[in-house]
Amino acid sequence: MGEKKIQSALISVFSKEGIEPIVKELSKRNVKIYSTGGTYDYISKLGYKLIKVEDITDYPSILGGRVKTLHPKIFGGILSRRNLNQDNIELEKFEIPKIDLVIVDLYPFEETVKSGGTENEIIEKIDIGGIALIRAAAKNYKDVTCISSKNDYVKFLEIYTKKDGALSIEDRKKFASNAFKTSSKYDTAIYNYFNNNSDDFNFKNKKETTLRYGENPHQEGKFHGNIEEVIEKIHGKELSYNNLLDIDSAINLISEFNKEKPTFAILKHNNACGLATRETIKEAYSNALAADPVSAFGGILISNTNLDKSTASLINELFCEVVIAPNIEEEALTLLKSKKNRILLILKKFPEKKSIIRSCLNGYLYQTTDDITDSNEILSYPTKNKPSENEIKDLLFASKISKNTKSNTIVLVKNNQLLASGTGQTSRVDALNQAIDKAKKFKFDLNGAAMASDAFFPFPDCAEIAHKAGISSIIQPGGSIKDNLTIDYCDNNNMSMVFTGIRHFKH
């Protein structure tokens, strides 16, 4: 059962690219080649001898080509077990030729969907015969070699010529594994199309990129997906596991400010350490950096608009890992490229994530994304003192940052600028104290500042601490059985507070 000489082959491919060298080698070794439709016409025009599938089946291609190879005389020749006498008897009885090699390149279903094809065009690109041939040949890998994609042509040809027309059982099993991967990925794409492009968990069917390492050097790391659809790397070292986590957090955060005035954010370990909206992106960067120039060292920088030369000249003074923008002007690019390892990324589009999946115990946790951005429409006003128009803007600004910061978190904002935040604390009081201490460290005036919390206050202690620091308005989900205590404190101390009714935990 080890090495087997290929004596017959069935070739049925959509893309003809790269198939001629294989046909040439097969013909050189007098391999009998069967084919049909466009593949038969293409190989015939190249001058090679082959047999039409219809000549075996005595049945023409029907239904506009929908049914060509689906016939017992084809699948019998692929699925027959060469070591079983009964199978060989039946092959002889029904005049079924053995097929040792199956080469298939499937209809381009995913490409048709991505190119905006009509529903009819997409449906017609669902390959039926090709998938069936792949599964049959891969199942019978002990006797048959299955080449399921043009991506395997070069490797097959290398093995085939090196071993003078024979493949080992190990070779055939490896190609069978590739075949089932091709089949699984293809079926997943079709399922996603019919399921409104759900991003259900099936990462093994996505493009795989090996990373330098995982979260730490002793851990392996891989990315599954076509990252080039979202970002384009134009300079710098290879992206790491931690880079990708930070980039994901940065893009999620800046998406909250899409199509708004120039906004710049600086992140470290998935959390914003600086963020500001201003009339120019240069001002926005300067104000974002002012919030915490210490944490900005080695950070991830992201803009919601084009980066110009004047902004790039300031960025160039900072050591940072990654810079992301929708576009980087030529002169700005020249400046930023002066640091050879600095990663420069163009944000091509915001990813359309519908779910979040993470490993847990011996399985996985699944949830839909937190796709609610707090807005005026959902606010309720429980306190006697109502926030001003500018305070509401700051409250919603703070809420966007809070939503994208690790819980427990408190975010302090003033005049569309992040002053400080408390991140990832086990106590909301600790998060608030951390934010206040940090704001004071960088000489920010908290009088009139706005405060956002990702979850409700079970007690009025946070309102009291905030008031003593000069903070005048609060945004929080509400929903505590003791909301009235916090409301009373605000009323008694001339503070305003709004409820959103939406919690934004992020763990």
Side-chain angles (χ1 to χ4, degrees):
M1 194 190 293
E3 291 205 343
K4 280 183 177 283
K5 283 273 188 184
I6 292 172
Q7 298 178 329
S8 58
L10 171 63
I11 305 176
S12 178
V13 294
F14 179 84
S15 171
K16 313 303 183 288
E17 181 186 347
I19 200 67
E20 183 179 2
I22 294 177
V23 173
K24 181 180 178 181
E25 288 298 323
L26 293 174
S27 298
K28 189 191 295 184
R29 291 171 175 78
N30 297 314
V31 173
K32 195 174 285 185
I33 302 173
Y34 303 99
S35 192
T36 186
T39 308
Y40 177 88
D41 294 339
Y42 175 79
I43 296 173
S44 294
K45 286 176 183 176
L46 293 174
Y48 296 103
K49 204 162 120 184
L50 66 166
I51 301 165
K52 281 187 176 181
V53 164
E54 294 91 324
D55 293 341
I56 304 172
T57 63
D58 292 325
Y59 219 94
S61 171
I62 61 171
L63 306 180
R66 278 190 163 198
V67 181
K68 294 191 284 270
T69 56
L70 296 167
H71 194 281
K73 282 198 172 184
I74 298 300
F75 283 85
I78 296 170
L79 286 164
S80 66
R81 293 154 293 188
R82 313 307 201 249
N83 64 328
L84 289 189
N85 189 47
Q86 185 58 39
D87 281 12
N88 291 318
I89 291 172
E90 289 180 10
L91 291 183
E92 189 174 345
K93 177 181 177 182
F94 296 108
E95 299 180 336
I96 298 173
K98 293 176 182 176
I99 297 173
D100 303 322
L101 169 67
V102 172
I103 302 177
V104 173
D105 183 66
L106 297 167
Y107 290 166
F109 176 82
E110 283 187 275
E111 290 80 356
T112 306
V113 173
K114 287 178 183 176
S115 67
T118 64
E119 182 180 15
N120 187 59
E121 288 170 338
I122 291 168
I123 296 302
E124 288 307 313
K125 287 298 184 289
I126 297 176
D127 206 317
I128 304 301
I131 279 288
L133 290 170
I134 286 172
R135 291 178 65 82
K139 175 179 179 176
N140 202 27
Y141 72 88
K142 291 181 180 178
D143 294 303
V144 179
T145 300
C146 179
I147 306 303
S148 59
S149 165
K150 61 185 178 183
N151 296 329
D152 283 338
Y153 289 178
V154 173
K155 187 64 178 176
F156 166 74
L157 198 55
E158 178 188 319
I159 296 170
Y160 183 73
T161 52
K162 185 179 179 181
K163 297 184 177 180
D164 193 26
L167 274 81
S168 69
I169 182 67
E170 291 79 17
D171 296 329
R172 296 194 299 275
K173 190 170 185 179
K174 175 59 180 170
F175 283 123
S177 173
N178 292 351
F180 283 116
K181 183 178 180 180
T182 297
S183 172
S184 176
K185 184 175 183 293
Y186 196 78
D187 285 341
T188 299
I190 296 169
Y191 164 75
N192 285 340
Y193 171 74
F194 279 94
N195 200 35
N196 295 318
N197 290 311
S198 161
D199 55 355
D200 284 357
F201 185 46
N202 202 345
F203 71 81
K204 290 185 178 178
N205 292 324
K206 299 181 186 294
K207 179 183 174 183
E208 180 180 282
T209 303
T210 299
L211 306 174
R212 297 201 306 271
Y213 49 79
E215 198 161 7
N216 299 293
H218 63 277
Q219 295 170 267
E220 291 183 6
K222 292 181 181 179
F223 177 81
H224 292 265
N226 188 4
I227 196 170
E228 292 82 8
E229 290 181 355
V230 178
I231 54 174
E232 176 189 358
K233 185 166 81 71
I234 55 176
H235 181 74
K237 61 186 178 182
E238 291 302 309
L239 292 168
S240 71
Y241 181 96
N242 291 331
N243 287 154
L244 288 171
L245 286 177
D246 282 327
I247 290 164
D248 181 60
S249 296
I251 292 174
N252 288 340
L253 175 58
I254 210 69
S255 70
E256 306 279 355
F257 300 90
N258 187 30
K259 297 180 181 177
E260 294 192 11
K261 286 184 177 181
T263 301
F264 205 102
I266 304 172
L267 292 88
K268 195 74 170 287
H269 296 297
N270 311 138
N271 297 304
C273 57
L275 194 149
T277 297
R278 291 294 182 262
E279 292 301 319
T280 69
I281 199 62
K282 182 179 179 180
E283 291 176 286
Y285 168 73
S286 295
N287 283 267
L289 181 63
D292 188 350
V294 176
S295 294
F297 183 85
I300 308 294
L301 281 56
I302 188 165
S303 167
N304 73 342
T305 191
N306 298 347
L307 284 184
D308 55 24
K309 182 183 177 182
S310 61
T311 309
S313 64
L314 294 180
I315 292 172
N316 209 38
E317 296 171 4
L318 175 73
F319 169 73
C320 57
E321 282 276 319
V322 182
V323 179
I324 312 166
N327 183 50
I328 303 175
E329 294 176 7
E330 199 61 41
E331 289 183 307
L333 192 58
T334 301
L335 274 172
L336 295 174
K337 280 184 173 180
S338 63
K339 304 289 171 59
K340 68 175 183 178
N341 286 331
R342 179 187 284 149
I343 298 166
L344 304 179
L345 303 174
I346 299 299
L347 176 58
K348 296 162 74 173
K349 68 173 186 177
F350 290 108
E352 298 175 5
K353 289 192 288 187
K354 297 176 183 177
S355 60
I356 298 170
I357 299 155
R358 61 195 296 180
S359 59
C360 180
L361 300 175
N362 62 341
Y364 297 92
L365 283 172
Y366 167 94
Q367 64 173 342
T368 56
T369 53
D370 181 0
D371 57 2
I372 295 176
T373 297
D374 294 340
S375 62
N376 273 306
E377 291 73 27
I378 66 170
L379 300 182
S380 62
Y381 302 86
T383 55
K384 293 175 183 176
N385 190 35
K386 309 303 179 196
S388 67
E389 187 177 334
N390 283 336
E391 283 178 323
I392 289 175
K393 287 180 181 177
D394 275 348
L395 289 169
L396 293 175
F397 187 94
S399 175
K400 290 176 181 180
I401 301 172
S402 173
K403 171 187 168 183
N404 289 276
T405 304
K406 294 287 185 183
S407 300
N408 288 312
T409 183
I410 293 290
V411 172
L412 305 181
V413 161
K414 189 175 179 180
N415 298 326
N416 288 335
Q417 179 187 16
L418 171 63
L419 305 184
S421 59
T423 63
Q425 298 301 302
T426 53
S427 156
R428 202 157 298 282
V429 170
D430 287 346
L432 175 55
N433 284 326
Q434 182 189 51
I436 292 171
D437 290 345
K438 197 171 187 181
K440 289 179 177 178
K441 176 183 176 182
F442 293 108
K443 311 300 183 187
F444 284 110
D445 179 9
L446 290 176
N447 286 301
M451 177 174 85
S453 173
D454 58 337
F456 65 59
F457 298 125
F459 305 103
D461 46 5
C462 282
E464 183 178 352
I465 295 168
H467 171 65
K468 289 177 179 178
I471 294 162
S472 61
S473 56
I474 300 170
I475 185 169
Q476 59 134 322
S480 167
I481 58 172
K482 295 183 178 180
D483 273 345
N484 62 301
L485 297 180
T486 304
I487 294 168
D488 288 344
Y489 184 88
C490 290
D491 285 342
N492 293 333
N493 291 277
N494 203 33
M495 295 180 76
S496 62
M497 181 167 64
V498 298
F499 287 167
T500 64
I502 305 293
R503 189 180 74 183
H504 291 296
F505 269 165
K506 186 171 185 281
H507 294 108

